[in-house]
Amino acid sequence: MRTPSSSAGPTTAGATTAGPTATGAAATALSSEARNLHWLLTNLVEEVPGILSVAVVSSDGLLLLSSDPGQGAERPAAHPKGPKGSSADLATIVSGLCSLTIGAAKLMDGGGVKQTVVAMEEGSLFVMSISDGSLLGVHATPDCDMSVVAYHMALFVGRAGHVLTPEVRSELRQSMEGAR
């Protein structure tokens, strides 16, 4: 595993920063904040062993940013792709799981939900709040180091939370619609 860079992202104005795992050509016309989020997502996918796919989801369940399951880091043959279907499927799962856990926390007087982990025979699903109801969802291999995945998700959330303003969320949403 490579050691992640301590920089908060690219700083060159006008540079294309979306890597091969970001949503592609649509990233070239984005603001520096949106490009930095693409860069952070790309680093998360490339730096953390076992991650299959990643989705950033708005509070209303819309996909804002995702890894491209077909072009990420090498994947084990037993786990050649992320969730069945599209990145929108991962966004739907993340949004629904978040709603369920928030309801459970309210019923149990458990306070706010910080993170949700679902360990399955053939993979793991992690969901973490970013800001204003936005969510980070990660689908990983069953043999991933859960503490490493959770740690890197927390780093992403810490770096992305203040950048994910309503304006940037709108910009990302439009870029995802344009990429279809």
Side-chain angles (χ1 to χ4, degrees):
M1 177 168 105
R2 297 183 319 203
T3 305
S5 147
S6 61
S7 69
T11 57
T12 306
T16 300
T17 59
T21 59
T23 53
T28 59
L30 297 175
S31 67
S32 63
E33 293 86 1
R35 288 192 317 265
N36 284 340
L37 288 170
H38 276 278
W39 182 84
L40 287 170
L41 181 90
T42 299
N43 276 353
L44 179 64
V45 172
E46 291 178 352
E47 299 289 334
V48 183
I51 289 183
L52 297 172
S53 58
V54 179
V56 175
V57 182
S58 68
S59 59
D60 52 359
L62 296 175
L63 183 63
L64 298 177
L65 192 61
S66 73
S67 63
D68 183 0
Q71 298 179 7
E74 288 295 315
R75 301 201 178 155
H79 303 281
K81 50 187 164 181
K84 293 178 183 173
S86 67
S87 298
D89 291 341
L90 180 58
T92 301
I93 293 165
V94 166
S95 180
L97 186 58
C98 179
S99 294
L100 181 63
T101 56
I102 287 172
K106 285 180 184 176
L107 285 172
M108 296 179 196
D109 291 327
V113 177
K114 295 180 181 182
Q115 180 179 4
T116 303
V117 179
V118 179
M120 303 167 280
E121 287 180 13
E122 298 299 322
S124 299
L125 176 63
F126 302 80
V127 179
M128 191 176 287
S129 295
I130 298 176
S131 63
D132 294 337
S134 297
L135 304 164
L136 173 64
V138 171
H139 178 221
T141 61
D143 59 345
C144 72
D145 186 331
M146 290 185 170
S147 61
V148 170
V149 172
Y151 172 76
H152 284 277
M153 286 177 70
L155 288 178
F156 180 95
V157 166
R159 293 174 179 155
H162 68 283
V163 177
L164 203 52
T165 63
E167 294 81 17
V168 173
R169 283 194 299 271
S170 176
E171 181 181 4
L172 290 170
R173 193 175 295 156
Q174 290 172 358
S175 74
M176 290 300 292
E177 290 171 2
R180 291 181 194 166

